[in-house]
Amino acid sequence: MNMPQKIIEIHVDDAPHSEEVLYPGAELPRLSECALLLDIDGTLLDLAPTPREVWVPPDLATSMGKLLQRTNGAMALVSGRSINDIDLIFAPMQFPAVGGHGAEMRLSAENESVAAGAPPMDKELKRRLAAIAKLSPGILLEDKGYALALHYRLAPHAEKAIYDAVSAIRADLPNAPIEVLPGKAVCEIKPAGVTKATGVIELMAHEPFSGRRPIFIGDDVTDESVFAIMPGMNGLAFSVGRRAQGVSGHFDEPRDVRAWLARLLIDDAAKSK
């Protein structure tokens, strides 16, 4: 399925505020031949002061439900959040998902989530890392099970202190199998060797994703591992908010992504006529 990768520029109909945004052209396969892989925070949803304050616009929920049907189940959320947290955000809807930066996976809404080769973080290590949140008011601790996140959007002055504290713990425990991921006002500590890319590779080996052309959209440095594997999978990658290296194009803001998903449904319906 070696489809051309032409990119065209069009205006987002319901986002006249933005500049012209790069979109996959008409050569994109039908949705029944694609696997849509979508990051959440900063990609589908606007960033919020705290992880619990994100909001799912009703139109997005409607589009996602229809896209899941049009792709015959091959639409998955790919996030650093746990699958349980993803379900809470999108309740009552559930979707296939790669959660915890690749640590867990669910192939369909009907399946239970399963670990994808990552052991839970050592309790003592997690306790020491969690104590970093006491460095300053405004640092928010998020326990993701397989990983831990320290959010400092409400305490930007604490960024250096957080990373210094994490570095000190790693120096004290050099054999701890962890990696540090800097994100947008967040420091995440996760199992080594487990990434969104390893999760996507595992996901794409299973039905209904297997054999389809993956299209991934993400915004953060944590998404770069997936950007990097898309060419080898005959896939397309799009970044949000910045022109990331190696992507086929970009969207300015999450609202542009939401508008494009709605447009995908219209275009795919036209192709089926």
Side-chain angles (χ1 to χ4, degrees), residues 9-33:
E9 293 189 12
I10 63 173
H11 257 314
V12 181
D13 294 336
D14 60 352
H17 67 288
S18 64
E19 298 296 325
E20 299 233 338
V21 184
L22 292 175
Y23 285 83
E27 295 82 1
L28 195 69
R30 294 198 41 198
L31 287 174
S32 60
E33 301 173 4

Side-chain angles (χ1 to χ4, degrees), residues 17 37 209 262:
H17 67 288
L37 311 174
F209 299 90

